[in-house]
Amino acid sequence: MVCSALRRVAHVRVYLVRKASGVSRGHQHQALGSRPAASEFAARGAPGSVVELLGKPYPQDDYSNLSQKVLSRVGRNLHNQQHHPLWLIKERVKEHFYKQYVGRFGTPLFSVYDDLSPVVTTWQNFDSLLIPAGHPSRKKGDNYYLNRTHMLRAHTSAHQWDLLHAGLDAFLVVGDVYRRDQIDSQHYPVFHQLEAVRLFSKHELFAGIKNGESLQLFEQSSRSAHKQETHTMEAMKLVEFDLKQTLTRLVTHLFGDGLDIRWVDCYFPFTHPSFEMEINFHGEWLEVLGCGVMEQQLVNSAGAQDRVGWAFGLGLERLAMILYDIPDIRLFWSEDERFLKQFLVSDINQKVKFQPLSKYPAVINDISFWLPSENYSENDFYDLVRTIGGDLVEKVDLIDKFEHPKTHRTSHCYRITYRHMERTLSQSEVRHIHQAVQEAAVQLLGVEGRF
């Protein structure tokens, strides 16, 4: 099995290099860093090879699934690029927390970490957050793995345990996160999150509460929909109140007064109770962040057994698209001055409404194929399309499923919408990309083409 797999990888590499040379000849004018080269899959090395990332080598194994397209985004750190819209959102949140929450000595209560490496261990990304083995969020099809023990973080929560273990009790973490997902104007394999955590001692939580000295943080009871088994109801209610008050102040700072807010119960493995915050913006209810009371097991394991706390996480792209009326997530990676100069403001709180660049016409092509009998993942196909087509791919829709009545084989038909954000694409150049997608799907995913 291993030998045949290695032979297949070697064959695919030869195929991809040949195909890449043919594709690249037709695409000398792409300005979004998206020259479609199927050889970008070479990053998915055979077991025994090594990929170097941020100056460190990582041995490849059967879990390695990074493409050069994704690797090229590591280190870009758009959230630290001055006057980038994501930087503006980050700075506005930072400014709010620095001004609103001050420690005993007049210094900011919350510390900020916005340059932590996106390479984390699987323990940091999952186990430290109480995500059990076998949980769907661990799937290879949903994440970018360097190997079985290291990956590109899927959320900034991957740093929670380490920072708590270091003795911190109030912090913000901002960074790029990586997930394999569908392709449309709202999803991109790299996006940016801002995470916040705050812990409270018994004295801090009950200060100012009548007869607070008699209240306790912990008890041994049963878990319910409203609290954990180790928390007293008084402690849980105060933590929840502080969390919701903190977030209400934050979104009011970002969006202005008079905002309608509602809280929706939800589930996260590392908080309970957990909530999603929705805001009514321009007459539409929009989910903007997730939050909750931190699981005490997580807090205890990090060495803060005498404290309770809350955590929340939000997507910077999500907020920026709402606040600045940015219609397509690919724009955040654009280096077009017509986009970037719109956010060159003297005051980070200045209102900005994105003025759309000329929208060039789309070129649409369909692709149909029979699925292999096993091990097919839609996210594998989306990742393949994204790698070859780059940011020319606006969206991919599964428009038809068909099961053959006799053989019971399944066929999928996808509609791929190509659109350059800075010029008009020709059908001829898209045809080269689309053919590369077709051939790579056969070679790498084991599908049988119907084209």
Side-chain angles (χ1 to χ4, degrees):
M1 287 292 291
V2 172
C3 291
S4 63
L6 290 174
R7 281 197 298 271
R8 184 167 180 258
V9 168
H11 170 73
V12 168
R13 278 182 170 173
V14 171
Y15 151 76
L16 290 175
V17 169
R18 287 173 180 166
K19 187 64 188 172
S21 62
V23 172
S24 61
R25 282 194 294 270
H27 303 274
Q28 300 300 317
H29 305 293
Q30 288 174 301
L32 291 178
S34 56
R35 183 171 63 87
S39 58
E40 289 183 336
F41 283 107
R44 308 179 188 206
S49 61
V50 174
V51 65
E52 186 167 305
L53 185 59
L54 300 176
K56 293 184 179 180
Y58 296 92
Q60 305 288 274
D61 59 26
D62 61 327
Y63 249 61
S64 307
N65 66 349
L66 271 73
S67 65
Q68 286 291 353
K69 176 69 178 177
V70 170
L71 288 174
S72 71
R73 299 308 197 202
V74 178
R76 286 283 301 275
N77 298 327
L78 299 182
H79 61 288
N80 290 334
Q81 182 179 316
Q82 196 167 16
H83 296 295
H84 190 279
L86 300 183
W87 176 86
L88 287 177
I89 299 290
K90 181 195 76 171
E91 290 300 310
R92 292 186 68 189
V93 175
K94 273 175 55 180
E95 178 189 65
H96 172 75
F97 274 87
Y98 281 172
K99 287 182 177 179
Q100 288 288 321
Y101 307 98
V102 179
R104 286 180 296 170
F105 304 107
T107 56
L109 179 66
F110 285 81
S111 50
V112 177
Y113 300 86
D114 60 8
D115 59 355
L116 299 176
S117 172
V119 179
V120 298
T121 64
T122 52
W123 186 89
Q124 288 173 300
N125 199 79
F126 299 119
D127 301 87
S128 74
L129 296 167
L130 312 180
I131 299 173
H135 192 275
S137 65
R138 291 178 178 254
K139 287 192 305 185
K140 181 178 174 182
D142 291 343
N143 299 284
Y144 288 105
Y145 285 92
L146 284 154
N147 51 42
R148 281 186 171 267
T149 60
H150 289 81
M151 63 187 297
L152 294 178
R153 63 189 169 210
H155 41 208
T156 46
S157 306
H159 303 287
Q160 267 188 27
W161 191 94
D162 292 316
L163 294 173
L164 291 172
H165 191 63
L168 299 174
D169 55 15
F171 54 84
L172 305 178
V173 180
V174 193
D176 43 337
V177 298
Y178 299 77
R179 294 183 196 169
R180 305 175 85 211
D181 211 334
Q182 64 198 81
I183 301 177
D184 58 34
S185 63
Q186 305 290 318
H187 295 86
Y188 200 81
V190 191
F191 57 105
H192 299 75
Q193 283 187 339
L194 185 146
E195 178 104 1
V197 166
R198 185 174 185 185
L199 299 185
F200 301 88
S201 66
K202 175 182 173 181
H203 171 74
E204 290 168 332
L205 189 63
F206 296 132
I209 302 297
K210 186 177 180 180
N211 299 322
E213 64 276 2
S214 66
L215 299 176
Q216 302 297 322
L217 294 177
F218 305 110
E219 67 178 12
Q220 285 302 321
S221 60
S222 57
R223 178 172 289 239
S224 71
H226 305 292
K227 74 175 203 69
Q228 298 172 39
E229 59 273 23
T230 56
H231 292 164
T232 64
M233 185 62 75
E234 294 85 1
M236 191 285 301
K237 286 296 184 183
L238 285 171
V239 173
E240 180 184 334
F241 176 79
D242 188 86
L243 168 62
K244 291 181 176 179
Q245 186 180 59
T246 298
L247 290 172
T248 299
R249 288 173 178 163
L250 174 60
V251 296
T252 299
H253 169 68
L254 294 173
F255 289 89
D257 295 324
L259 197 65
D260 287 333
I261 295 170
R262 69 184 182 189
W263 303 92
V264 180
D265 293 339
C266 65
Y267 168 78
F268 301 114
F270 34 88
T271 56
H272 181 76
S274 303
F275 314 96
E276 288 179 342
M277 178 195 237
E278 296 184 351
I279 63 170
N280 193 303
F281 193 67
H282 296 330
E284 182 181 358
W285 284 102
L286 303 171
E287 184 263 309
V288 291
L289 58 85
C291 62
V293 177
M294 296 184 71
E295 282 284 356
Q296 197 60 37
Q297 182 183 342
L298 189 164
V299 177
N300 291 350
S301 71
Q305 298 91 331
D306 61 339
R307 293 170 184 254
V308 294
W310 53 247
F312 75 79
L314 56 83
L316 294 183
E317 281 89 347
R318 176 75 168 155
L319 282 181
M321 292 177 82
I322 297 171
L323 277 167
Y324 303 138
D325 204 19
I326 297 173
D328 194 311
I329 197 169
R330 294 176 298 163
L331 280 164
F332 292 108
W333 297 92
S334 175
E335 296 180 357
D336 190 329
E337 282 301 311
R338 293 175 300 167
F339 173 74
L340 295 173
K341 70 180 181 182
Q342 296 187 41
F343 303 94
L344 191 64
V345 293
S346 57
D347 178 1
I348 60 173
N349 293 305
Q350 180 178 327
K351 288 188 177 181
V352 177
K353 181 175 173 59
F354 172 64
Q355 299 300 314
L357 311 180
S358 299
K359 192 162 187 177
Y360 294 94
V363 179
I364 296 173
N365 284 261
D366 294 347
I367 177 172
S368 299
F369 47 75
W370 296 106
L371 306 190
S373 58
E374 59 183 11
N375 297 328
Y376 175 79
S377 164
E378 283 189 35
N379 281 347
D380 285 340
F381 177 67
Y382 295 144
D383 201 38
L384 180 148
V385 174
R386 181 87 72 178
T387 298
I388 295 177
D391 289 350
L392 297 183
V393 180
E394 182 174 88
K395 64 178 179 177
V396 178
D397 296 312
L398 176 59
I399 60 172
D400 185 56
K401 285 184 180 181
F402 169 72
E403 182 175 323
H404 195 284
K406 292 184 178 180
T407 64
H408 300 292
R409 296 180 70 190
T410 300
S411 169
H412 280 188
C413 179
Y414 296 89
R415 177 154 294 163
I416 304 178
T417 302
Y418 300 90
R419 191 195 309 267
H420 203 297
M421 304 188 78
E422 297 167 13
R423 66 178 180 85
T424 299
L425 285 173
S426 69
Q427 179 63 57
S428 174
E429 58 187 326
V430 168
R431 186 168 59 250
H432 285 289
I433 306 169
H434 200 68
Q435 287 174 350
V437 169
Q438 291 173 331
E439 295 178 28
V442 171
Q443 293 288 334
L444 295 173
L445 304 182
V447 305
E448 181 183 332
R450 302 181 68 188
F451 34 82

